[in-house]
Structures are given as C-alpha cells and as structure tokens.
Amino acid sequence: MEKTCGCKSKFNAVFMKNLEWYMHKVYGDFKRELFNKLGKDVLEIGAGTGSNLPYYKPWTNLTAVEPSKDMLNFFLKKAHNYPLNIYIREGYAENLPFEDETFDSVVSTLVLCSVKSPYKVLNEIKRVLKPGGTFIFIEHVKSPKDDFVAKTQDILHKSWKWLFEGCDLKRETGKLISSIFPKSKIKLVKFNSPFIPVNYHIIGYAEKD
Ligand SMILES: C[S@@+](CC[C@H](N)C(=O)[O-])C[C@H]1O[C@@H](n2cnc3c(N)ncnc32)[C@H](O)[C@@H]1O
C-alpha cells in the first residue's frame, strides 16, 4: 500500500487541524457520550491531528494508528497536554500490528470513509477487540435519500476523493458495520452544516460477541 505523502498530505493535515474547533462544536456532545463507554486499553485508528484527545478518560492507555506523518506531527505536538499513556504506531488499519483480543475498545471518527478497504478494517477491529469489547464510531455516509445532499455527493464524488486522499462520500458504512458487528447501535444524524456532501453521519457503538 502506498504511503501518504506530498503536498496533498500536508494540505489535509493543516485542513483537519484548522477544523478542530468546528469538530468540537459539532461532534462534542456526541463524543462525550460515546467516549464514556471506553475501557482502559483503547485503540484509535486514523487518529489524525489528535482531535479526539480531549475526550479520553484520564490515564487511558491509548494506542493511535495513523499512516500520515503530517497528521502525526500535529498529534505529537499536543499529545503531552493530556493525562494519557499514549503509544503511536505509523501504519494502516487494514493490517493492525496487534495480537487478537488486545484492546477493550476501538475508536474511529471520520476514518472509514478514507480507508482503502472498510471491510478489512472492520474485521481487523473485531479481531483486536477483546470479547465484549466496544467499538465506537462517527462517520459520514452516503445520503439515504434522493435529496440535495445526494446530488452534491454525485457531483463532487470524484474531485472530493482526489483532494481528500481517498475520502469517499458515498460509502454505506452503517450497513457494513451492522453486518460485521450484529450487536450495534447506529443512529443516522443529519447535520445542517456548510459542508453539505458530508451532512449525513452515523454515530454509534458496537459490541464484539
Ligand atoms: C478525516 S481524517 C480524521 C482524523 C481523526 N480521526 C479526526 O476525527 O479528527 C481521516 C484520517 O484517516 C487516516 N487514514 C486514511 N487511511 C487510513 C488507513 N488505511 N488506516 C488508518 N488511518 C487512515 C488519515 O491519514 C487521516 O488522519
């Protein structure tokens, strides 16, 4: 698999960093509720610039997997501000370098849209979770209706994917999660944000049998 690199990678890291204040505003309440469900040993895939760091419980053992050095540079700059035990692994969530049943919980926010194979990633998440472990997620998804959002997704799909390094506006991630994790609670939420093509999100959690 190709490594993320070059000016698009830098652009995306700076873009995500500058969007953090907005993500706290939009997702903050959802995240506070979801992150409460996490256990002590947590894996975050696609941890990006570290926008989720403020939501972890103190003294969580947090392992962050992220392929982009540019994202990780921002992550590292702020990681020491939080009372967490943080381990960072540069890499892709399709091949997690951990043994089966290692983590109490796994976190994915705005990542399953961008990975090459969400199917492989979800199976990896399931593999590394302990039995009874929790997977929490917030992901933007394909519009479930033939509405204005769907039209913008159709129009922007290709250029969005190019600019945002593989980010797919039309993934039906909720269906995939519930097929791999039969014990899942998924809420479809429509935001009224200026980022119209990503206004539909799934927010929820799943438990490994
Ligand atoms: C839109 S950003 C979200 C970052 C962070 N999760 C957040 O909510 O702020 C998507 C992240 O997924 C990462 N990513 C892309 N492909 C990945 C893969 N195959 N495995 C793990 N992370 C990946 C990107 O490098 C980027 O940091």
Side-chain angles (χ1 to χ4, degrees):
M1 205 179 288
E2 257 179 55
K3 286 235 161 197
T4 318
C5 62
C7 57
K8 255 198 280 174
S9 165
K10 283 205 172 60
F11 165 80
N12 277 299
V14 172
F15 181 75
M16 289 308 294
K17 171 78 197 137
N18 283 297
L19 218 59
E20 279 184 14
W21 68 272
Y22 180 74
M23 294 197 291
H24 291 312
K25 200 170 129 165
V26 175
Y27 304 128
D29 286 346
F30 293 107
K31 284 188 179 175
R32 273 181 282 280
E33 197 184 328
L34 281 179
F35 279 63
N36 241 332
K37 300 185 184 301
L38 301 178
K40 180 94 178 144
D41 294 313
V42 180
L43 168 68
E44 180 173 349
I45 61 159
T49 58
S51 71
N52 288 329
L53 287 168
Y55 300 96
Y56 288 105
K57 292 176 207 157
W59 311 119
T60 294
N61 297 322
L62 173 65
T63 302
V65 169
E66 168 57 54
S68 159
K69 281 198 170 64
D70 295 306
M71 295 278 184
L72 279 178
N73 286 340
F74 285 118
F75 185 101
L76 286 166
K77 273 186 197 147
K78 61 162 123 47
H80 64 271
N81 294 328
Y82 298 91
L84 304 167
N85 303 312
I86 301 179
Y87 312 90
I88 295 169
R89 299 293 292 257
E90 201 182 323
Y92 293 89
E94 281 86 348
N95 292 297
L96 292 171
F98 310 111
E99 299 203 344
D100 297 357
E101 303 181 2
T102 301
F103 298 99
D104 297 313
S105 314
V106 178
V107 175
S108 171
T109 63
L110 310 179
V111 178
L112 294 170
C113 53
S114 295
V115 300
K116 284 233 161 69
S117 170
Y119 177 81
K120 264 194 194 169
V121 170
L122 286 166
N123 278 297
E124 277 291 87
I125 290 172
K126 195 168 183 181
R127 181 183 68 74
V128 300
L129 268 176
K130 294 176 187 168
T134 311
F135 168 43
I136 66 166
F137 48 85
I138 298 180
E139 300 287 343
H140 66 79
V141 291
K142 184 178 192 285
S143 165
K145 297 180 190 162
D146 186 15
D147 58 1
F148 184 61
V149 175
K151 282 192 181 58
T152 65
Q153 290 181 337
D154 283 342
I155 292 165
L156 294 174
H157 186 239
K158 273 197 185 148
S159 43
W160 191 280
K161 201 167 184 176
W162 175 82
L163 181 62
F164 295 113
E165 296 183 297
C167 177
D168 187 336
L169 290 171
K170 301 210 278 187
R171 284 204 175 150
E172 296 184 282
T173 306
K175 286 186 188 163
L176 195 58
I177 291 176
S178 45
S179 72
I180 293 170
F181 289 92
K183 282 191 186 168
S184 54
K185 281 243 174 337
I186 306 180
K187 195 159 54 175
L188 180 71
V189 177
K190 186 180 179 210
F191 294 107
N192 287 312
S193 84
F195 302 99
I196 295 164
V198 292
N199 266 347
Y200 285 105
H201 282 62
I202 50 156
I203 298 179
Y205 60 95
E207 196 185 305
K208 176 171 167 176
D209 287 326

